[in-house]
Amino acid sequence: MTTLSIFDFSQPDEAKKVTDDSSEIRALLAEQSVRFEQWPTKDLPDDASQDEILEAYREEVESLKAECGFQTADVVSLNPDHPHKEAFRQKFLDEHTHSEDEVRFFVRGQGLFYLHFGDQVFSVLCEKNDLISVPDGTRHWFDMGPEPRFTCIRLFTNPEGWVADFTGDDIASRLPRYEAMVGGA
């Protein structure tokens, strides 16, 4: 279930959690200029190709491209048996920003986006059918967990794809990781 946990640095061990109401999650994220939507389910096999996935969500992707000026879309997928899963996890675990919005639509599986706003961090457990758009310049990181299982459509305005500017802040190491937030792998 999609979950939003809000950590306040004045009480870092206590997070406010919102799990039952996607409209409340959407509203709280919108206050921070984060777009959150849930798209209708498409029936796809677990081993669907990038082309099959992009075709299944063609209308939604084209609509976002037209609305937001995205130039490209691709699909990223990771499974627990991937030989480089730990390296991929580490790549995204440090706080960073981008010069464009980071947009992910979860076709299957789940992952945690951590969004740093002033004295708060919003941790969003995104699952199948969740779309999140993190505004450019927003300090954030992503945790796919030690046994990742997800497939996401990514949209970019920069044809080079994912380009990060790491902040050097160790905040990501001071908050609970995927295992603590989700409960295991």
Side-chain angles (χ1 to χ4, degrees), residues 12-42:
D13 297 330
E14 297 178 28
K16 172 187 175 185
K17 286 196 175 200
V18 179
T19 57
D20 298 330
D21 189 348
S22 64
S23 62
E24 183 179 359
I25 292 172
R26 186 175 10 266
L28 288 166
L29 290 171
E31 289 174 7
Q32 303 298 329
S33 300
V34 175
R35 181 178 189 158
F36 178 81
E37 299 174 3
Q38 293 178 313
W39 287 357
T41 300
K42 307 283 182 165

Side-chain angles (χ1 to χ4, degrees), residues 146-163:
E147 299 295 320
R149 184 178 306 276
F150 69 90
T151 300
C152 289
I153 295 174
R154 308 183 302 174
L155 291 108
F156 300 100
T157 53
N158 180 349
E160 294 176 34
W162 192 86
V163 179

Side-chain angles (χ1 to χ4, degrees), residues 116-132:
H116 184 181
F117 304 110
D119 290 338
Q120 293 183 319
V121 172
F122 286 42
S123 172
V124 186
L125 176 62
C126 293
E127 298 192 321
K128 181 179 179 178
N129 300 327
D130 288 346
L131 171 104
I132 189 166

Side-chain angles (χ1 to χ4, degrees), residues 5-10 16 31-32 95 114-123 139 141 171 175:
S5 301
I6 303 173
F7 293 91
D8 190 308
F9 293 152
S10 66
K16 172 187 175 185
E31 289 174 7
Q32 303 298 329
E95 185 183 72
Y114 293 81
L115 314 170
H116 184 181
F117 304 110
D119 290 338
Q120 293 183 319
V121 172
F122 286 42
S123 172
R139 298 165 69 110
W141 62 97
I171 187 170
L175 288 173

